[in-house]
Amino acid sequence: MNLKLLAGFFENFITIFGDTKYLNMLWTGLQTTLIVSVGAAVIGLLLGTLVAMIKIQPATSKWATVPKIICNVYVTLVRGTPMALQLFIMAFVIFAIRGFPMEIIAILSFGINSGAYVSENIRAGLMSVDKGQSEASRALGMSTGYTMLKIVIPQGMKNVIPAIGNELIALIKETSIVSMIGMYDLTQAAKVIGSGQNLATYFAPMVVVAIFYLAIVYLLTLAIKLIERRLRKSEKR
């Protein structure tokens, strides 16, 4: 039985790569996964940077504390609730509009979720920079903004790149739940290809999709390592 199952798996595995129909289905799913992942990553990085900058600023007045409170509530709510629940709320409550593009909903949902985690990573990286450097720069007459831009941020970002890389990898894998709101991504493509068939037929497309995800994550990991290597070379100079 196991040999038959194994033989069926390899037969179906080869069939998927040899059939244009299946390849088109996987390509369509891959496009959706990449679009949602890239769009959400951009929003997450921009939003996370903004939130981190707000949170590290000293609250000098009552009006200055309001943005910090909003950012703290945002981070707490997003990090404390499941991604699937946030996706459902965005799709069926906030954007429950007939004809509204699901791709936009998914990008916004994952981008907002990622922004909360990215903000904490960036905040931790910026806070890890020795305060003495900021004090020394201000003693030399540099403004707070110039000190942040030229001294704190460059050093802090070097410390936070690995954490942001991990968050981007997690984001790509989390997009596999977009089929829950009716979108056609890589995971959904595997379900459609193997639906209604035996275990070997269903298992083969899942393995193929896993290879796709592994390849994407591996390429992203190489890019992050390349960035880290370049930053280390710049430090030596």
Side-chain angles (χ1 to χ4, degrees), residues 183-224:
M183 293 184 63
Y184 189 90
D185 69 324
L186 270 175
T187 304
Q188 183 63 19
K191 292 178 182 178
V192 173
I193 293 173
S195 61
Q197 304 296 324
N198 55 47
L199 180 59
T201 306
Y202 193 79
F203 184 52
M206 290 295 180
V207 173
V208 172
V209 168
I211 293 173
F212 273 94
Y213 278 111
L214 183 60
I216 296 171
V217 171
Y218 181 73
L219 291 175
L220 180 58
T221 302
L222 289 180
I224 294 169

Side-chain angles (χ1 to χ4, degrees), residues 106-122:
I107 290 173
L108 290 175
S109 300
F110 286 101
I112 292 172
N113 178 272
S114 179
Y117 292 93
V118 170
S119 68
E120 288 301 288
N121 292 332
I122 294 178

Side-chain angles (χ1 to χ4, degrees), residues 93-220:
V93 179
I94 298 178
F95 291 102
I97 305 172
R98 184 181 296 276
F100 195 88
M102 282 295 178
E103 290 82 2
I104 303 298
I105 295 174
I107 290 173
L108 290 175
S109 300
F110 286 101
I112 292 172
N113 178 272
S114 179
Y117 292 93
V118 170
S119 68
E120 288 301 288
N121 292 332
I122 294 178
R123 184 185 65 83
L126 296 179
M127 295 295 290
S128 67
V129 179
D130 188 5
K131 292 183 179 180
Q133 298 188 43
S134 299
E135 295 172 355
S137 64
R138 285 194 293 269
L140 293 173
M142 298 180 186
S143 65
T144 302
Y146 186 86
T147 299
M148 181 66 67
L149 183 63
K150 294 297 184 178
I151 297 176
V152 177
I153 292 179
Q155 296 184 70
M157 292 308 294
K158 291 177 182 178
N159 299 332
V160 80
I161 284 178
I164 291 180
N166 290 334
E167 169 56 28
L168 293 179
I169 290 173
L171 172 63
I172 292 172
K173 293 185 291 185
E174 282 182 347
T175 60
S176 60
I177 67 171
V178 295
S179 59
M180 298 171 64
I181 60 171
M183 293 184 63
Y184 189 90
D185 69 324
L186 270 175
T187 304
Q188 183 63 19
K191 292 178 182 178
V192 173
I193 293 173
S195 61
Q197 304 296 324
N198 55 47
L199 180 59
T201 306
Y202 193 79
F203 184 52
M206 290 295 180
V207 173
V208 172
V209 168
I211 293 173
F212 273 94
Y213 278 111
L214 183 60
I216 296 171
V217 171
Y218 181 73
L219 291 175
L220 180 58

